Amino acid sequence: SCMAVFGTRIYVGTFNDVAKAELWWSGDGSTWSRVNIFDPAYPFSLNKVFSLHVHGGNLFIGTGDSCAVWRYGGSGSAVLLNTPHFTENANGLIMGWARYRGLLYVGTASLKGCEVWSFDGSAWSRRAEGGFGNRKNGIAASMATYGGKLYVGTFNYLDGCEVWSYDGSNWKREASGGFGNTGNISARSMAVFRGKLFVGTGTIGHGACEVWVYDGTSWTQSVGPHGLQGSGFRPPMSSDPNSTVSSFCVTGDKLYAGTENVNAGCEVW
């Protein structure tokens, strides 16, 4: 379900709804070994390695459905860093990660509205709760730092996704209503490329994803009806659009987008 390069190895996390989730690594991309790093006595659900993030010389692992955050230094066991679920607010998953002003930030999923937490290496602080005042913002799905601020994209099934910025003290909504299309239910991915913030959306079922670009002042559509590429990276009226931009990767002078597509299979652009 997720990947990260840590040291000289690539790590992959899995889902397993029958047994516990697993973490695997490879040094050459061909031979894989399972990493048994989780406490076998951990009393809560551990059926998803939902996200991975490298920060400060460690691999951080977000597991579900107990919204646990683990730190792994490359050997030995992983260390549990938080109280499962963080609070009584039913946090189930960690999706968004970012480093901002020297702190590690994570975004959660909760039926009571997503939350954002920061970690200074020893203690956690809650920075946002209740879905930024709208519990329908159920997931803090993506994060990035841009222009001296932290940006968070949400999942909102009813109203369309939102994007919020944080300056270290205050939150400000920068986009809402799925960028004018409530079918964009998730601001699923973020990346900074050529001095601008790119946001990839997720849609319902057979919907068509979009990509929006922010220059610090205004938004421009890059993929969509008025973009450089059509909605879902397809011509108009296509029967097999990509439904979600699930990931971005910047390498060299190019931005790559990974998609979800229930009809034609995933793609990379």
Side-chain angles (χ1 to χ4, degrees), residues 3 10 16 30 50 55 59 64 91 107 111 169 191 212 219 226 255 263 269:
M3 292 186 182
I10 183 170
N16 191 323
S30 299
F50 209 86
H55 171 79
L59 177 66
N91 290 300
L111 294 175
S169 299
W212 288 81
W219 293 94
H226 308 291
L255 172 67
N263 295 310
W269 286 76

Side-chain angles (χ1 to χ4, degrees), residues 91-128:
N91 290 300
L93 300 171
I94 299 287
M95 288 197 63
W97 303 80
R99 182 176 181 176
Y100 178 60
R101 295 188 175 180
L103 303 178
L104 176 67
Y105 279 75
V106 301
T108 75
S110 173
L111 294 175
K112 296 184 178 181
C114 64
E115 298 186 347
V116 176
W117 290 75
S118 67
F119 184 62
D120 64 5
S122 59
W124 291 93
S125 298
R126 184 164 54 188
R127 303 289 181 164

Side-chain angles (χ1 to χ4, degrees), residues 131 134-139 154-162 178 182-187:
N134 179 1
R135 64 184 299 170
K136 288 179 285 187
N137 286 317
I139 305 174
T154 74
F155 171 98
N156 188 318
Y157 190 86
L158 295 176
D159 301 332
C161 65
E162 298 181 354
T182 55
N184 287 320
I185 61 172
S186 177

Side-chain angles (χ1 to χ4, degrees), residues 165-190:
S165 67
Y166 182 60
D167 63 6
S169 299
N170 300 301
W171 290 96
K172 178 184 177 183
R173 188 168 61 185
E174 303 287 359
S176 61
F179 299 97
N181 173 8
T182 55
N184 287 320
I185 61 172
S186 177
R188 181 63 184 88
S189 51
M190 286 188 178

Side-chain angles (χ1 to χ4, degrees), residues 137-152:
N137 286 317
I139 305 174
S142 58
M143 286 188 178
T145 55
Y146 171 70
K149 296 180 179 180
L150 173 70
Y151 286 79
V152 179

Side-chain angles (χ1 to χ4, degrees), residues 6-263:
F6 176 51
T8 59
R9 299 173 175 177
I10 183 170
Y11 286 78
V12 175
T14 72
F15 281 14
N16 191 323
D17 288 329
V18 177
K20 289 188 176 182
E22 298 175 356
L23 186 68
W24 291 75
W25 70 267
S26 174
D28 58 11
S30 299
T31 303
W32 292 88
S33 300
R34 182 179 174 184
V35 191
N36 295 304
I37 60 174
F38 300 114
D39 182 355
Y42 181 68
F44 297 92
S45 172
L46 192 58
N47 61 357
K48 298 179 178 71
V49 176
F50 209 86
S51 54
L52 300 172
H53 182 75
V54 177
H55 171 79
N58 292 286
L59 177 66
F60 288 82
I61 307 161
T63 64
D65 292 318
S66 59
C67 202
V69 180
W70 306 77
R71 180 175 60 205
Y72 178 59
S75 62
S77 298
V79 177
L80 180 64
L81 296 178
N82 68 323
T83 301
H85 301 290
F86 276 109
T87 66
E88 71 282 359
N89 287 342
N91 290 300
L93 300 171
I94 299 287
M95 288 197 63
W97 303 80
R99 182 176 181 176
Y100 178 60
R101 295 188 175 180
L103 303 178
L104 176 67
Y105 279 75
V106 301
T108 75
S110 173
L111 294 175
K112 296 184 178 181
C114 64
E115 298 186 347
V116 176
W117 290 75
S118 67
F119 184 62
D120 64 5
S122 59
W124 291 93
S125 298
R126 184 164 54 188
R127 303 289 181 164
E129 60 184 309
F132 302 99
N134 179 1
R135 64 184 299 170
K136 288 179 285 187
N137 286 317
I139 305 174
S142 58
M143 286 188 178
T145 55
Y146 171 70
K149 296 180 179 180
L150 173 70
Y151 286 79
V152 179
T154 74
F155 171 98
N156 188 318
Y157 190 86
L158 295 176
D159 301 332
C161 65
E162 298 181 354
V163 176
W164 289 76
S165 67
Y166 182 60
D167 63 6
S169 299
N170 300 301
W171 290 96
K172 178 184 177 183
R173 188 168 61 185
E174 303 287 359
S176 61
F179 299 97
N181 173 8
T182 55
N184 287 320
I185 61 172
S186 177
R188 181 63 184 88
S189 51
M190 286 188 178
V192 176
F193 178 63
R194 292 184 178 177
K196 296 181 180 180
L197 177 67
F198 284 69
V199 177
T201 72
T203 63
I204 305 170
H206 301 280
C209 63
E210 298 176 356
V211 176
W212 288 81
V213 184
Y214 187 59
D215 63 4
T217 303
S218 60
W219 293 94
T220 303
Q221 191 178 78
S222 179
V223 175
H226 308 291
L228 299 174
Q229 289 279 345
S231 299
F233 295 91
R234 290 291 190 272
M237 308 304 293
S238 172
S239 61
D240 64 343
N242 292 288
S243 62
T244 300
V245 182
S246 55
S247 60
F248 283 125
C249 179
V250 177
T251 179
D253 193 40
K254 291 185 178 180
L255 172 67
Y256 291 84
T259 73
E260 297 176 19
N261 191 317
V262 296
N263 295 310

